[in-house]
Every structure is written in C-alpha cells, then in structure tokens.
Amino acid sequence: MTIDDSQQPAPRRGKVLEALARAERRVFTRPAPKSAKAQVKFLLTRAKGSTKALAERLGVSRHTVERYRAGTLTTPQKRLRAALVEETESEWQPQVRAQARHQAATSSGMMVDVTAYFGFTCTGNSDDGRERSITTAISPTYAKQILELQEADATEEELHLIVAEAITESYFTQWGTRAVGLRADFTHVSEIEFRF
C-alpha cells in the first residue's frame, strides 16, 4: 500500500532558503492577510479567480477553496494553514520584494548572521574547524549570486557553497587583504538569518 502524494507532508525547505524567505518578509510595508478567508481571497485574485488552480496549489478540493472564500470554513488544518501562509507570503508585495532584492544585488549587499560548523582549507596553517557564530556583510556580487540561485530553485548544498564563499571573502579574508588562499566551508547550520 502506498501513500497518496496529496497525503504526504510538503517537503521542508532548507535553513538557507527559509532564512532568505524570512528576509524578504521583513521588507513588507504592510502585513500580509492573516485569516484563512482573507488569504484565500487574496490568492484567488492572483489565480485570476480560478478556484481549480488555487485548489491544486494548496492541495485541496475546489469545494474547500469555495468554502473558505465564503467564510463557512474558518480554521484550516495545520498543513493547509501552513500552505496558505506560505503561498500568501510568496505572492505578497512582489514589487517591494523585487526592489529589496535589486538593491541587495546591485548596491547594498546583505548581512548574514550564521551559527554553523566552519572547516577550512588553505595553503599553510589554519585553525581546525569548529562551530562559530559570525555576523558579516555580503557584497552585492555574492548577494546577486545567492538570490539568483534561490530563484533557480537551487539545492541547500549549492547555496551553502556560495554563502560559505561570501563569508570567507568578507569575514575570513577581509576582501583579499589577509589569509590569501583560505577557503571555508560550513555544515551543520544551527541558525542563519539574512537582512537586506
């Protein structure tokens, strides 16, 4: 007996992708809709009124979408509640998000706060790898690469590589002024936050 795809939990995004999504939410100028009815109404406007398209996105029936729109259902189950929040926030204020992303990729860069296990390779001596908490600026060049990978649905491992390279440049080698040839990789990310 196999489990139907609609019954399987939605795959969790990795910590880096979640942190990028949280950073985008912090630039909102107005709060996103909170109630299930308001979220469904907003998402229906984005789906051009198609209850079928929205039902497929949320993994529910058209009838369920219609009942939330009408207000006869008000308290979604945990999986649907999470899907409504995720879909609403991914569609909310796209111009504000695009402006913040453009500014990060062209002029201001981003800040990253990360607690992870950092290991090093270099030509010469280096400290052994260990868990570190680091807060540093990421240059616009790296911010652009990170945001492009996010848009291209990159894997968490691909994002780890570029984020580690950005942290190496800004924190460990200070933009090439010291520790030339050092390369840092990070694993076991405990916490990570980005700020535009």
Side-chain angles (χ1 to χ4, degrees):
M1 184 168 150
T2 62
I3 297 175
D4 187 321
D5 286 345
S6 64
Q7 294 176 343
Q8 293 180 3
R12 287 201 48 179
R13 291 191 296 184
K15 289 185 179 183
V16 174
L17 288 169
E18 285 293 331
L20 288 167
R22 283 192 304 272
E24 286 183 344
R25 290 179 193 127
R26 282 193 289 273
V27 300
F28 290 161
T29 57
R30 294 187 333 254
K34 299 289 184 213
S35 73
K37 181 178 180 179
Q39 290 168 335
V40 166
K41 282 187 173 187
F42 169 72
L43 291 171
L44 279 170
T45 62
R46 295 305 217 173
K48 298 182 174 39
S50 172
T51 55
K52 180 180 178 186
L54 181 56
E56 289 174 4
R57 260 176 91 176
L58 297 173
V60 296
S61 69
R62 289 176 78 172
H63 184 64
T64 300
V65 169
E66 290 164 359
R67 289 171 61 189
Y68 277 105
R69 178 177 57 185
T72 56
L73 287 178
T74 57
T75 309
Q77 292 180 349
K78 187 176 182 178
R79 185 190 64 76
L80 179 56
R81 182 175 46 242
L84 282 169
V85 168
E86 177 68 28
E87 292 296 326
T88 299
E89 290 183 349
S90 72
E91 295 280 338
W92 190 248
Q93 292 192 321
Q95 292 151 338
V96 171
R97 278 198 322 269
Q99 182 180 8
R101 292 169 67 90
H102 175 74
Q103 185 175 351
T106 58
S107 62
S108 66
M110 295 188 295
M111 289 295 293
V112 63
D113 298 314
V114 63
T115 301
Y117 185 87
F118 283 85
F120 304 95
T121 55
C122 71
T123 56
N125 294 333
S126 176
D127 292 336
D128 289 333
R130 65 177 189 262
E131 186 172 272
R132 295 174 185 246
S133 293
I134 294 174
T135 300
T136 189
I138 294 178
S139 70
T141 304
Y142 281 110
K144 180 179 180 182
Q145 291 175 17
I146 291 166
L147 295 171
E148 286 174 349
L149 283 172
Q150 177 196 20
E151 286 180 11
D153 294 328
T155 65
E156 191 75 1
E157 292 76 25
E158 292 170 326
L159 284 163
H160 276 207
L161 293 173
I162 195 69
V163 172
E165 193 176 313
I167 292 170
T168 299
E169 179 189 294
S170 67
Y171 184 82
F172 294 110
T173 67
Q174 296 178 347
W175 288 280
T177 61
R178 66 184 207 66
V180 176
L182 179 76
R183 195 188 97 212
D185 294 315
F186 70 80
T187 58
H188 304 93
V189 177
S190 301
E191 299 174 27
I192 187 164
E193 290 297 327
F194 292 97
R195 290 187 309 274
F196 290 109

